[in-house]
Amino acid sequence: MPQAEVYYAQQFFTKEESDLYLQRLAEQVAWQQEEIKMFGKQLPLPRLTAWYGDKGYTYSGLYNAPQPWLPVLQELKERVEAASGDKYNSVLLNYYRHGQDSMGWHSDDEKSLGPGIASVSFGGERGFAFRHRERKDIPPVKLTLQHGSLLLMQGNTQRHWQHQLPKTSRPIAPRINLTFRNIIS
Ligand SMILES: O=C(O)CCC(=O)C(=O)O
């Protein structure tokens, strides 16, 4: 991927670790059904979300107040920091209950965000895609995010590429994704 720094570890966590993390996160995280305003209407986000971290953060126009780290989140953060060499002070969690839950094309390129984002996935395997923001001649890059995988997006990735988690009509197990981030202001 030109103008990107992306690394993917398919089995960063073992199957046993991943099964346990999926269960702990599903049970312990304070999942919320947020709404966003679109075309003058309040619509539910197509996923459940939660935010933990040292600082508050506005995402998709929604303010997330700082919330203390749960032990399970602290544990995951330390494992991921050791692998990526980056430091994170926040995590956004997304719970995709079925194939109709999704995340549209976007870049995590807010000015207040450090360039290194680490994405951890547990549960049902889902397709994930990148597309270059300016160069239509570069084909999109597709991958399947596996149970227990780690995807690092570093350097200029967010500036030049968007990513999405499309809907699928395949019957699919619930999936939890964590994106560890560093809020710098
Ligand atoms: O669930 C995923 O893999 C995508 C998450 C994502 O794009 C985000 O949190 O910005």
Side-chain angles (χ1 to χ4, degrees):
M1 290 171 62
Q3 299 174 295
E5 247 181 81
V6 174
Y7 304 91
Y8 179 58
Q10 186 171 297
Q11 250 193 9
F12 184 70
F13 297 97
T14 65
K15 163 92 169 66
E16 292 70 31
E17 286 174 327
S18 304
D19 291 349
L20 202 55
Y21 277 128
L22 179 64
Q23 189 190 342
R24 288 171 74 190
L25 291 165
E27 287 172 8
Q28 296 174 16
V29 167
W31 296 106
Q32 296 187 29
Q33 173 66 78
E34 299 279 9
E35 294 190 332
I36 47 162
K37 199 164 184 180
M38 266 218 303
F39 313 116
K41 277 195 202 156
Q42 285 293 124
L43 295 174
L45 279 186
R47 57 193 178 270
L48 304 182
T49 58
W51 173 263
Y52 289 83
D54 309 335
K55 296 186 180 181
Y57 178 53
T58 300
Y59 179 83
S60 291
L62 301 166
Y63 176 70
N64 296 282
Q67 279 213 75
W69 292 87
L70 298 173
V72 60
L73 297 176
Q74 184 68 33
E75 217 174 283
L76 287 167
K77 177 169 101 74
E78 285 167 16
R79 288 278 297 268
V80 172
E81 283 177 340
S84 71
D86 286 334
K87 288 277 176 204
Y88 312 104
N89 58 15
S90 326
V91 62
L92 173 70
L93 293 106
N94 287 295
Y95 193 137
Y96 304 90
R97 296 157 289 187
H98 42 63
Q100 292 306 295
D101 274 354
S102 62
M103 169 100 64
W105 286 113
H106 69 284
S107 302
D108 295 297
D109 60 345
E110 292 90 349
K111 281 206 179 64
S112 59
L113 214 49
I117 294 182
S119 165
V120 172
S121 297
F122 297 116
E125 289 174 5
R126 294 284 298 258
F128 183 84
F130 286 102
R131 71 176 181 197
H132 197 280
R133 286 168 73 162
E134 300 93 29
R135 293 197 32 200
K136 302 295 169 231
D137 58 312
I138 300 178
V141 174
K142 294 187 181 171
L143 62 158
T144 301
L145 296 181
Q146 316 253 4
H147 183 41
S149 66
L150 171 65
L151 175 74
L152 299 179
M153 296 180 270
Q154 297 177 317
N156 280 330
T157 308
Q158 303 298 329
R159 188 174 312 161
H160 295 293
W161 292 78
Q162 292 183 319
H163 53 274
Q164 74 159 348
L165 188 101
K167 293 184 197 304
T168 172
S169 52
R170 273 185 307 124
I172 191 106
R175 167 176 183 271
I176 291 177
N177 176 261
L178 304 90
T179 43
F180 291 94
R181 298 148 185 262
N182 191 29
I183 308 293
I184 47 187
S185 55

